[in-house]
Amino acid sequence: MAPTIRVALIGLGHVGRGFLTLLLDKKEILAARYGLHIKLTAAADSSGAVLDAHGIDPALLLQHKVTHGGIGAFPYGGKPGLAAPDMVKRAKADVLLEASPVNLQSGQPALHCLRLALSQGWHAVLANKAPLVLAYQELSAAAAAQGKRLAFSATVCGALPVVNIGQRDHTAVRYTKIEGVFNSTSNFILTAMEAGKTYAEALHEAQVEGVAETDPSLDVDGWDTANKLTIIANSVLEFPCALRDVEVRGIRGIGLDDLRRARAQGEVIKLLAVALPLGDGYRLSVHPARLPLTHPLAGVNGWEMGVVWHTDIMGVQFAKVDERGPIPTAAAMLRDVINIHRGRR
C-alpha cells in the first residue's frame, strides 16, 4: 500500500479548490509514479473548518463548497466558526497547505497558522506570499529547527519553478543579474494596450477575463511583483530583506504613446523586476522598463510570466510560462508535497 501523507488545507478559494481537484484527478498517478497517497484530514475557510483523522472526501467537500459555500456548514463534520489556528491545533496532519487570501499588513491568520504547524513538527507548503514577505527568516529558521520543509514554489509565478531552479539547480552560482516579468495582470494590460486599447479598456478586459481583481492596485502598482522579488531575494539569493528594500514603480503612468514610441524604436515596455549585485547584497527594483525586441522577456506577452538568470558559470538562462486559471498554482503546491514525500523516502 502506498505511503500516506496527511494534509490540512487552509483556504478554499480558486487555488485551494484546484488542489482538491488535483487530488482527485491525479490519485492514480500519485500512487503509481510516486508511491504516494495524500489524505486530507482537515480544511478551513473563513466560515469554519472540518476535521477528520480518517480522511475527508475531496469530491464531497468540493461539491459542498461550490453549491453551498462555507465549509463550516459541511454536513460531514463541519464546525462553523472554528478558526484556522484552532483547526491547526486540533488536526492530525503532516503538512500544512496555506492558500488563504494574502494579507500584507499582518500576514494573519496565515502567519499564526504556520508558526503553530511548524512548532508541531509539520511541513508547510504555501501559495500565500504574505507570510514569506513578512517573516521569511523566522519561518525558515523554525522549519530548519524542526527538520521540516518550508516549500513555496507556488508563490512565485505559479507552476514556473523559479524558486526551485534557483535553490536546487544553480549550485555554486553567482548571479550577475536576475530579471523577471512576474505579474500576469500587468503584463496582460500592457499587451492589450500595445494592441490599441486604452489603459482603462485593457484593465476592464483583464477583469472580465478573470486575470485582474476588482481592485487591481497590488498588480498594476508593482507590489505583487515586489513581493515575489522579495521572496526570491531571501530564498535564492540568500539576501535577508523586506518589502521596504525594493524600489517600486507600477504601470499606471504608461500610455499608448509610450508603448508606440518604444515599438517604433525596436523596444517594448514590460513591468520588470531586477536584482543587481550591490556591495555585499543586491539592489532590488520593480519598474516599467524598455527592452529591446531581442531581449528574452520582450516576447513574454499576455498571461505569460518569465525569468532570466544571468550567472557567472551557467550562462544566461531563460524560462517562461503561459498559465491561465488556478490549476497551475495548485499544481505547484502538489509538486511541493511530492518533493516532501521524496525527501522523507
Side-chain angles (χ1 to χ4, degrees), residues 6-10 40-44 48-54 56 77-96 112-113 116-117 119-120 122:
R6 303 168 299 172
V7 300
L9 172 63
I10 299 176
L40 180 70
T41 58
V50 57
L51 302 99
D52 189 338
H54 299 293
I56 301 162
K79 301 182 184 302
L82 184 66
D86 294 320
M87 180 211 75
V88 174
K89 292 176 184 176
R90 296 168 57 175
K92 304 296 183 184
D94 306 300
V95 181
L96 177 67
H112 184 31
C113 291
L116 285 171
S119 71
Q120 292 171 190
W122 298 6

Side-chain angles (χ1 to χ4, degrees), residues 5-80:
I5 284 186
R6 303 168 299 172
V7 300
L9 172 63
I10 299 176
L12 270 292
H14 295 302
V15 174
R17 295 197 301 273
F19 186 87
L20 296 183
T21 299
L22 291 175
L23 287 189
L24 297 168
D25 293 347
K26 299 296 182 179
K27 182 178 180 179
E28 292 181 2
I29 285 181
L30 291 173
R33 187 177 297 174
Y34 305 106
L36 173 63
H37 172 64
I38 298 175
K39 180 192 291 186
L40 180 70
T41 58
D45 64 8
S46 58
S47 73
V50 57
L51 302 99
D52 189 338
H54 299 293
I56 301 162
D57 187 334
L60 291 177
L61 191 59
L62 272 172
Q63 182 181 27
H64 172 83
K65 184 69 181 177
V66 172
T67 57
H68 299 290
I71 62 174
F74 186 57
Y76 305 99
K79 301 182 184 302

Side-chain angles (χ1 to χ4, degrees), residues 110-166:
L111 188 51
H112 184 31
C113 291
L114 286 161
R115 287 166 174 157
L116 285 171
L118 292 171
S119 71
Q120 292 171 190
W122 298 6
H123 302 281
V125 170
L126 289 80
N128 185 345
K129 292 179 284 292
L132 300 172
V133 172
L134 296 172
Y136 176 85
Q137 301 298 326
E138 175 204 333
L139 295 174
S140 180
Q146 292 282 354
K148 300 300 178 180
R149 286 282 305 279
L150 179 69
F152 45 89
S153 69
T155 63
V156 180
C157 299
L160 189 67
V162 176
V163 171
N164 291 14
I165 290 173

